[in-house]
């Protein structure tokens, strides 16, 4: 795992050292990684990392749609644009995770800390 977690990969999933994964802990204390845009994989964390991806935290106050039909999540400090199919709703407690890579582009996600649901971020606008 890119951020140094030691895991017991009991489900048999394997990631090479070159794979990038967003790893996060939900409010229930369970750790997950985003396998793809639709699937989460639960992790048994044997040792928590001393540092993780940078993250921000916020609560969704309002949900709108932009002219392209994407879902826009309104938080106190700004807006997060995600796909129209994103399951995140009003009052969700979110954390944003990700990396920015000059070659491969941004790999940014939001995670609902209560449900564990996640969505890839299309755009972020701070107020």
């Amino acid at each position: 795992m890119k951020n140094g977690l030691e895991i017991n990969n009991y489900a048999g999933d394997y990631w090479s050292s070159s794979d990038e994964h967003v790893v996060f802990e939900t409010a229930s204390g369970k750790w997950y990684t985003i396998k793809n845009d639709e699937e989460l994989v639960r992790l048994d964390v044997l040792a928590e990392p001393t540092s993780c991806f940078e993250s921000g935290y916020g609560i969704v106050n309002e949900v709108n749609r932009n002219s392209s039909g994407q879902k826009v999540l309104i938080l106190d400090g700004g807006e997060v644009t995600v796909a129209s199919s994103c399951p995140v709703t009003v009052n969700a407690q979110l954390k944003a995770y990700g990396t920015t890579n000059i070659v491969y582009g941004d790999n940014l996600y939001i995670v609902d800390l209560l449900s564990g649901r996640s969505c890839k971020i299309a755009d972020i606008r701070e107020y």
Side-chain angles (χ1 to χ4, degrees):
M1 303 300 288
K2 184 170 182 178
N3 66 351
L5 288 180
E6 300 174 26
I7 62 173
N8 173 14
N9 204 346
Y10 62 86
D13 288 303
Y14 174 79
W15 296 283
S16 70
S17 60
S18 62
D19 289 340
E20 289 187 16
H21 280 267
V22 174
V23 177
F24 62 93
E25 183 181 20
T26 63
S28 66
K30 296 176 181 176
W31 288 82
Y32 293 88
T33 187
I34 300 170
K35 185 173 184 180
N36 55 50
D37 287 344
E38 299 177 359
E39 185 179 1
L40 297 177
V41 175
R42 169 84 187 275
L43 301 177
D44 283 343
V45 177
L46 304 179
E48 291 190 12
T50 55
S51 64
C52 290
F53 295 118
E54 291 183 17
S55 63
Y57 171 81
I59 296 177
V60 178
N61 297 320
E62 187 179 337
V63 176
N64 296 323
R65 301 256 177 204
N66 64 18
S67 59
S68 301
Q70 294 172 307
K71 191 181 270 189
V72 179
L73 308 173
I74 311 297
L75 293 84
D76 286 338
E79 301 176 358
V80 178
T81 303
V82 293
S84 60
S85 59
C86 178
V88 172
T89 59
V90 172
N91 294 325
Q93 297 177 20
L94 301 180
K95 267 201 163 187
Y97 290 85
T99 58
T100 300
N101 185 303
I102 294 171
V103 176
Y104 300 107
D106 294 340
N107 188 26
L108 304 172
Y109 290 84
I110 54 164
V111 177
D112 183 331
L113 295 179
L114 296 179
S115 70
R117 293 187 226 164
S118 62
C119 300
K120 193 161 190 177
I121 295 173
D123 186 41
I124 296 175
R125 183 172 299 158
E126 293 184 34
Y127 298 146

